[in-house]
């Protein structure tokens, strides 16, 4: 029983970097990124670009992506009738504020006009429809778009070609044709293939890698690969950096194109601290790969995020809260981008294991490991009890619980943890119903 509990107990880690000097944290994110030779961008909603929303978008971000306004269904809902209002508005705003634009997206299976999905097309007819659409849209913004997501989400989860209307009717050749049409329409734009769940090394990213290899071998003008990075709290893939690097080594640029990091609502201090570490980790992975052009967040405020609508019960996925106040995630980006970030001082990670459990009670062991290069001089671990558990007694730490929030701090004898070293504390708790482990820890 004991072995099973230990084996099934989630091992959770959290890392929090101590704040660097205030100056770096206060500088606009776009300037910090620019100083590192990258851009930091955001998706925006054209209709919201006024007031405080516009102020933050302009001040903090060096690149804008229209969240929906350039999709085929937005620009040509009725065949032959174009509405460029929203797309024009984002491009004009970006130009007025010295920002680049990531065009999103020319060919995608989703948010297509009904007349495209509902039609019956021969292969030749569909190919011409697609290349005409690319010529019209990329042509309209010729010379004003930094990157185009030419083809979005071409793959299935197993890395094979998605059987969208394009894939099913035209096979893989549609991807090559789309890139050639985009190059002809706007020779200056960098042309990207973009997908989700390709962030880690795995079946889907292997499929993307092989697709890019084939396209390059055919001389197809693919300039970059976008990794959407719609991530889950505490689950930044360990292989993200290595994955970006292997694509870069194929001879293409890479970019993080739609970063958000969702959490089960409500947000708590511990989850927001984990999210800060996660945002910083993604930003650092991009900085570590020379050909990573930049990071775009998919909405900069929680009030303009698609997550609550698409992942019920989840949210708080962006770096600013609903009132446009910066969250710890924003500081995570700033700290990762800061020019003089000291080499990770005071960084710790946490491992949690239930070592025994009985009706109404349990014992947990929490290990604090110093993953930085300087000694930890005193430490604090914070977490949220997910199912009403109460700490009844702690040893080797002082633990207090307010509502669901627990704070545990060192005693004097175990305050100092050398780099690479660890120390452990334990507690007895009460539970009823279920006893799930906390989903995140903040450690500082
Ligand atoms: C999302 C938008 O943010 C939502 O407003 C819309 O309702 C659905 O699409 N991958 C993509 C983006 O490439 O275009 C999607 O954007 C999010 C997932």
């Amino acid at each position: 029983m004991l072995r099973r509990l230990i084996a099934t107990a989630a091992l959770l880690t959290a890392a929090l970097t101590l704040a660097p000097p205030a100056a770096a944290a206060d500088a606009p994110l776009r300037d910090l990124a620019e100083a590192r030779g990258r851009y930091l961008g955001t998706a925006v909603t054209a209709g919201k670009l006024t007031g405080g929303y516009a102020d933050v978008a302009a001040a903090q971000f060096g690149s804008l992506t229209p969240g929906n306004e350039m999709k085929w269904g937005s620009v040509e809902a009725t065949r032959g009738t174009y509405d460029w209002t929203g797309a024009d508005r984002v491009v004009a705003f970006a130009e007025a504020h010295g920002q680049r634009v990531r065009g999103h997206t020319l060919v995608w299976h989703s948010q297509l006009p009904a007349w495209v999905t509902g039609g019956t097309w021969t292969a030749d007819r569909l190919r011409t429809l697609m290349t005409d659409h690319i010529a019209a849209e990329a042509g309209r913004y010729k010379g004003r778009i930094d990157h185009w997501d030419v083809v979005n989400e071409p793959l299935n989860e197993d890395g094979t070609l998605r059987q969208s209307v394009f894939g099913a009717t035209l096979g893989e050749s549609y991807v090559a044709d789309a890139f050639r049409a985009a190059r002809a329409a706007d020779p200056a734009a960098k042309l990207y293939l973009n997908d989700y769940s390709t962030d880690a090394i795995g079946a889907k990213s292997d499929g993307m890698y092989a697709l890019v290899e084939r396209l390059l071998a055919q001389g197809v003008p693919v300039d970059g690969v976008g990794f959407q990075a719609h991530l889950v709290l505490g689950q930044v893939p360990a292989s993200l950096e290595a994955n970006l690097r292997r694509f870069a080594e194929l001879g293409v640029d890479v970019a993080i194109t739609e970063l958000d990091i969702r959490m089960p609502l409500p947000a708590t201090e511990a989850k927001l601290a984990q999210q800060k570490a996660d945002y910083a980790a993604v930003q650092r992975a991009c900085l570590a790969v020379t050909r990573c052009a930049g990071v775009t967040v998919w909405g900069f405020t929680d009030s303009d995020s698609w997550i609550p609508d698409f992942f019920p019960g989840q949210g708080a996925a962006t770096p600013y809260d609903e009132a446009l106040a910066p969250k710890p995630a924003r500081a995570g980006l700033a700290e990762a981008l800061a020019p003089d970030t000291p080499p990770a001082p005071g960084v710790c990670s946490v491992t949690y294991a239930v070592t025994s459990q009985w009706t109404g009670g349990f014992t947990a062991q929490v290990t604090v490991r110093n993953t930085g290069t300087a000694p930890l001089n005193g430490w604090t671990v914070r977490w949220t009890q997910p199912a009403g558990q109460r700490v009844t007694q702690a040893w080797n730490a002082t633990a207090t619980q307010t509502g669901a929030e627990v704070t545990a701090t060192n005693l004097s004898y175990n305050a100092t943890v050398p780099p690479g070293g660890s120390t452990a504390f334990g507690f007895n708790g009460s539970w009823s119903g279920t006893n799930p482990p906390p989903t995140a820890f903040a450690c500082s």
Side-chain angles (χ1 to χ4, degrees), residues 13-17 344-350 368-372 376 378-381 441-444:
T13 58
L16 189 72
T17 308
V347 179
C348 44
S349 69
V350 175
V368 178
R369 179 171 297 280
N370 181 351
T371 54
L376 274 178
W379 44 263
T380 302
V381 177
F441 292 88
C443 177
S444 59

Side-chain angles (χ1 to χ4, degrees), residues 57-399:
Q60 298 294 332
F61 298 94
S63 167
L64 298 186
T65 306
N68 289 298
E69 294 81 352
M70 286 184 168
K71 293 171 182 172
W72 197 339
S74 300
V75 300
E76 199 190 2
T78 305
R79 189 170 187 182
T81 306
Y82 294 96
D83 180 357
W84 304 107
T85 321
D88 281 357
R89 191 155 172 194
V90 175
V91 174
F93 184 94
E95 288 173 348
H97 296 94
Q99 296 165 301
R100 321 164 186 225
V101 178
R102 288 198 91 258
H104 176 82
T105 175
L106 294 170
V107 183
W108 187 28
H109 65 276
S110 186
Q111 293 182 270
L112 280 172
W115 64 267
V116 172
T117 42
T120 313
W121 311 106
T122 62
D124 281 351
R125 204 57 212 109
L126 184 64
R127 187 178 296 107
T128 306
L129 261 190
M130 179 188 80
T131 52
D132 284 354
H133 166 68
I134 294 170
E137 180 150 19
R140 178 178 179 86
Y141 297 106
K142 182 179 178 180
R144 302 164 75 190
I145 303 291
D146 182 41
H147 295 174
W148 262 116
D149 285 333
V150 176
V151 175
N152 194 32
E153 303 181 353
L155 299 180
N156 293 315
E157 297 314 285
D158 65 359
T160 58
L161 188 72
R162 184 192 285 272
Q163 295 300 292
S164 65
V165 60
F166 305 107
T169 314
L170 301 171
E172 193 175 296
S173 69
Y174 90 84
V175 179
D177 289 335
F179 275 82
R180 292 197 173 105
R183 179 67 98 224
D186 187 355
K190 296 258 193 200
L191 306 182
Y192 275 68
L193 252 180
N194 194 50
D195 216 324
Y196 66 92
S197 295
T198 48
D199 315 304
I201 294 178
K204 191 168 183 181
S205 64
D206 288 351
M208 180 63 98
Y209 186 89
L211 173 60
V212 173
E213 265 187 325
R214 286 195 297 277
L215 292 167
L216 293 176
Q218 294 161 41
V220 177
V222 179
D223 299 312
V225 177
F227 300 81
Q228 292 186 6
H230 294 293
L231 301 177
V232 170
L233 187 72
Q235 296 182 26
V236 176
S239 58
L240 174 62
E241 181 186 321
N243 194 36
L244 297 177
R245 182 166 287 115
R246 71 172 173 152
F247 279 87
E249 285 169 357
L250 276 180
V252 290
D253 293 340
V254 294
I256 304 291
T257 54
E258 305 186 14
L259 176 62
D260 49 28
I261 301 177
R262 60 187 181 267
M263 61 181 70
L265 295 172
T268 62
E269 207 182 311
K271 291 184 213 173
L272 292 171
Q274 175 67 53
Q275 188 184 47
K276 173 184 178 181
D278 292 347
Y279 265 90
V282 174
Q283 180 61 69
R284 286 199 179 96
C286 178
L287 288 171
V289 177
T290 313
R291 290 197 77 151
C292 183
V295 172
T296 295
V297 296
W298 202 247
F300 64 88
T301 153
D302 291 338
S303 67
D304 190 35
S305 168
W306 69 308
I307 293 296
D309 292 338
F310 283 76
F311 300 89
Q314 312 238 12
T318 82
Y320 285 78
D321 72 12
E322 305 219 337
L324 296 176
K327 292 159 58 183
R330 193 245 175 235
L333 290 169
E335 288 170 21
L337 287 166
D340 306 310
T341 310
V347 179
C348 44
S349 69
V350 175
T351 308
Y352 174 95
V354 172
T355 53
S356 65
Q357 182 170 302
W358 57 93
T359 309
F362 68 104
T363 301
Q365 170 150 306
V366 183
T367 304
V368 178
R369 179 171 297 280
N370 181 351
T371 54
T373 51
L376 274 178
N377 294 313
W379 44 263
T380 302
V381 177
R382 293 190 179 82
W383 71 91
T384 304
Q385 303 284 38
Q389 298 100 324
R390 305 283 318 171
V391 174
T392 51
Q393 185 200 3
W395 49 96
N396 301 338
T398 306

Side-chain angles (χ1 to χ4, degrees), residues 384-390 401 404 430-438:
T384 304
Q385 303 284 38
Q389 298 100 324
R390 305 283 318 171
Q401 182 168 352
S430 61
W431 64 286
S432 64
T434 60
N435 185 23

